[in-house]
Every structure is written in structure tokens, then in C-alpha cells.
Amino acid sequence: MIQVENLYKKFGKNEVLSGLNLTIDKGGIFAVLGPNGSGKTTLIKSILGMVVPNKGDVSVSGIAIKKNWKYRQEIDYLPQIANFPGNLKVKELIRMIKDIRQRPSDEQTLIELFKLDSFLDKKLSTLSGGTRQKVNIVLAFMFDCPLLILDEPTTGLDPASLIRLKELIKKEKANGKTILITSHIMQFVAEVADEIIYLLEGKIYFKGSIEQLKKKTDQTDLEHAIAAIATTPANA
Amino acid sequence: MLKILKYSFYDLIRSRWSYVYFLFYLLLGFVLLFLNNDVSKAVITLMNIIIVLVPLIGTIFGVMYYYNSKEFIELLLAQPIKRSSIFLGQYLGVAGSLTLSLVLGLGIPFVLYGLFKSDAIFDFSLLLVTGAFLTLIFTALSFNIALSNENKIKGFGYAVLLWLFMAVIYDGLFLMSLIIFKEYPLDTFSLVATMFNPIDLSRTLILLKLDISALLGYTGAVFKQFFGTDKGLFISIFMLVLWTVIPIWRLSYKAKRQDF
Ligand SMILES: Nc1ncnc2c1ncn2[C@@H]1O[C@H](COP(=O)(O)OP(=O)(O)OP(=O)(O)O)[C@@H](O)[C@H]1O
Ligand SMILES: [Mg+2]
């Protein structure tokens, strides 16, 4: 599904990704973890073609993404920071994205699920942070793409919405999708993730199941395992 | 790209500023015609206004629109759309709506006044064509500046400086060099210097078509020999096209390499 080979990215002098390799081939939920500023968003944006790497290759479904844009038809993306054009109404935004993507969509169920009906006629600039995140979720889930990339999907959600989001994610997994998630909420990760990808110093420091991670770090819960991982030698 | 163009165009049509700009030209057209009561004279006054104002509006509007639509651009970048289509669509949306405001705003009063019966129609069309070029050129330049400057204040500052340089400072430098080097033959120099500033180029083009080259003083005769001919007209239009195409090309080149 996703292949990242020897990826390098610098912002000025700040080398964020230094020779990162990653292969994800089957469906399931992959949690991309790492400290703030470790390059999770940068990696995701490189896969989406929003960040242009200095070196290395990325391919999605066997197609090299360089100079290509059609592969994004198969990707649904939820950005970490939901920057929307403020002067649009929620329903105008949804209609516009549908018009651009031209594929079947199921926004109505999602709007009901997250109780967004009363916000459809509001301008995006007037929404609260959590409501905006719900709109963000609707836009990411309304198409039926095989690859779903969620950058911090839980940001700002109340507990009830968080439960709905988890159900939604599990349902998509059951449909056989590949889902890439970043999050700092370990409880959430422990609940949904099949595999952990831990980013540190521009490389994949650990990749494996939660069980493997716990065993490796000698910890009993995920939160402590993640906290301990950076002090554990990579090939212990 | 057509979809992006459609959305940015709608967005602008809905915004107050397009109407203000349109109404301004409409009013200007009517006032000039009724004050002068003479199409040719109105065209000259209009030229003086257009040559300065159109680049300014194109520059400011371009920078403002780019920064305001950053969120929209980010949203589109994750969609299955070619990058250059996003930026060109946005650019054409702004430049197109500005050009439309200009052409309709001035065109309507002149048509109502009876332009088609007057022999100033060619001068007037030339005025609108150069106005359209200036809009395309300065919007493209300002998009370039905004794309290269994350900081809005800086981008805005550079854009205004660019306009100031092209509209005012360039002429000053040009005149000064004419005075300093007056012992030397300066015909070629003046011609080339004019070519390298789209505002000067447009002004010269119109003035010479209006047959008032005497106003140009020193180099008037040389200019008339050059710009007055069909070849001169052709080369000038070609230069204006270059001035339009190069910034657009750079915009698309730069956009492809930018991180978002
Ligand atoms: N467009 C950019 N220009 C300059 N530096 C950038 C840019 N985007 C990211 N960076 C830098 O790259 C580094 C990695 O950022 P990134 O957003 O990928 O981190 P992250 O792992 O997603 O962090 P977080 O957990 O806070 O979301 C940071 O130091 C950040 O400052
Ligand atoms: Mg991030």
C-alpha cells in the first residue's frame, strides 16, 4: 500500500527526516507515534505530496507519487490543523469538496452521527474548535477510499464524540482499509491500533505490535512503554 | 483547473471589492465623458489613471487574495488535483475578475456614449487591452511575491514597493540617466529601458497611438519611429505577453517546489 524509501527532508537547517524507510502493505490500523516535532506530520504530508522531500521515494499502491496527483483519489486525509476557508458555510464546504472529488459520498450519516445538522448553515470561522474538528472528520470519512490518513483525529473532541470516532475507525478497519493515525493519547492508540510505528531522530525507531513493544521495553502498559522506548537501544 | 477557477471566481464575485472596483470604473467612465464631452480627451485622462491605478489594484488585490485563500489552497493540496492547476486557477480567478471589472466598468459608459460611431474606438480598445495586460502582469507578480513570503506584512510591503518602483521610481531613474548621459546617443537605451517596465511600455504605446509624441520630448521622434510602426506595436505587445507569461511560469514552477 505505502512504500517509503530513504526519505530525507530538511526545513532550512532543521533535518526532520533522515533516511526514513517504511513499508505498509496490508490493511489495518497503524499508529505513527513520536515526540512533538519528530516529523510525523512531515512524513504524512510527504506521502500526500504536500511536502516535497529532498531525497528519497514514496509510492502509494505501487505508483511513485512524484509528479503524480491522481493517486490522491484513493486517499482520505484529516489534517492536524483544520484550516478551512472561514467565509464558507459548512454545507458549502462539503458540497465543494464533493464537487471536486466526484465520487460517491456518505456525508449525511456522518452529519447525523456528530450532530452537525444545526451547524450546516454556519460559517466555518464562527465554529468552536471541536465542532470544526467534527467537520474535519466528516470531510475525511465521507468518501470510501482504501487509504485513510488521520493526523491527530481526537483533538478537541468531547468524550461522546470520541467514542463515535473510535467506532467509525473500527468500522473502516473492518471494511479492510489501511488507516494511518497519529495521536498522543495512548489510551486511544492502545484501543484502536494494530501496529505501532515510532519515529525518532528522523527514522523509524520501532515498528511492531503493542505486545512486542511492551516486551521490548519491559513495561506493562503502552504509555510507559512509549515513555521508555527512547532510552531502550534500538536493536535490543 | 476549471473547477478551481470557478470557485475562486465565484468567491470574488461574491466579495464586495469586485463591485467597488467595477463601480469605480463605471463612475469614472461616465464622469469623464460628461466632463470632457469628447471621447479622445477622455481616453487620455483615463490612460493617466489606468496606467497607475490598474497595477496598484492588481498588486494589492493579488497579495490580499493569496493570503486570504491560503486555507483553501491547503485544503485543495490534499485533493486529487494537480498543483499547478490550483495556483493557476486561483490566479486566473483573481486576474479574470479584475479584468472583467475594468473592461465592463469602462466599456459600458463608452458604449452608451456612442463609442462605436466615434473614431476613437481603436485608441479605446488599445487602452482596455493594455489595462487587461497590466492587470494580468501585476497580479501574477504579486502572487509570486506572496508565494515566496510566508510573512504577510513582508509580502505586502514587497508588493507595494514593486508597484512604487515600477510606477514612480523607475521613471525617475530613467530621466536622471537621460540627464547624466545626455552627451551620448541614448535612443537604444531609452527604447530598451521602456521595454523593461510594463507600465512605461503601456504608456508609450498609448501615447504614440494617440499621436501626441511631442509630449514625450527628447526621445519622442525615435519612439515614434519605433512604436508608431506596426512592427513596433507588434514588438510591444510581444513584450507585454512576455511580461505576463514569465511571472505565471515562475508561479507554477515555484508552487511545485513549495512545502505546505
Ligand atoms: N513548513 C515548515 N517549515 C519549516 N519547518 C517546518 C515546517 N513544517 C514542519 N517543520 C518543522 O519540522 C519539524 C517536524 O514537524 P512535524 O509537524 O512533522 O512534527 P510532528 O511529529 O507532527 O509533531 P506534533 O506531535 O507536534 O504534531 C518541526 O521541528 C517543525 O518545526
Ligand atoms: Mg503533527
Side-chain angles (χ1 to χ4, degrees), chain A residues 9 11 45 49-52 69 72-73 77 83-85 87 92-93 96-97 99-102, chain B residues 3-4 6-7 11 14 71-72 74-83 256-260:
Chain A
K9 180 63 196 177
F11 293 107
K45 287 187 169 179
M50 295 172 76
V51 160
V52 185
W69 52 271
R72 284 198 288 270
Q73 278 163 348
Y77 168 57
N83 276 331
F84 296 128
N87 59 347
E92 288 173 329
L93 178 69
M96 186 179 83
I97 297 294
D99 180 36
I100 287 172
R101 295 204 69 155
Q102 298 283 341
Chain B
K3 260 189 193 138
I4 312 299
K6 181 180 91 184
Y7 280 109
D11 189 29
R14 284 198 324 189
E71 286 96 18
F72 185 47
E74 268 176 39
L75 189 67
L76 293 176
L77 283 165
Q79 307 297 331
I81 309 172
K82 214 168 139 187
R83 250 194 204 197
K256 274 184 207 143
R257 281 154 186 80
Q258 188 102 337
D259 296 317
F260 289 93

Side-chain angles (χ1 to χ4, degrees), chain B residues 1-13:
Chain B
M1 181 170 90
L2 285 178
K3 260 189 193 138
I4 312 299
L5 177 60
K6 181 180 91 184
Y7 280 109
S8 68
F9 199 76
Y10 276 164
D11 189 29
L12 282 155
I13 295 284

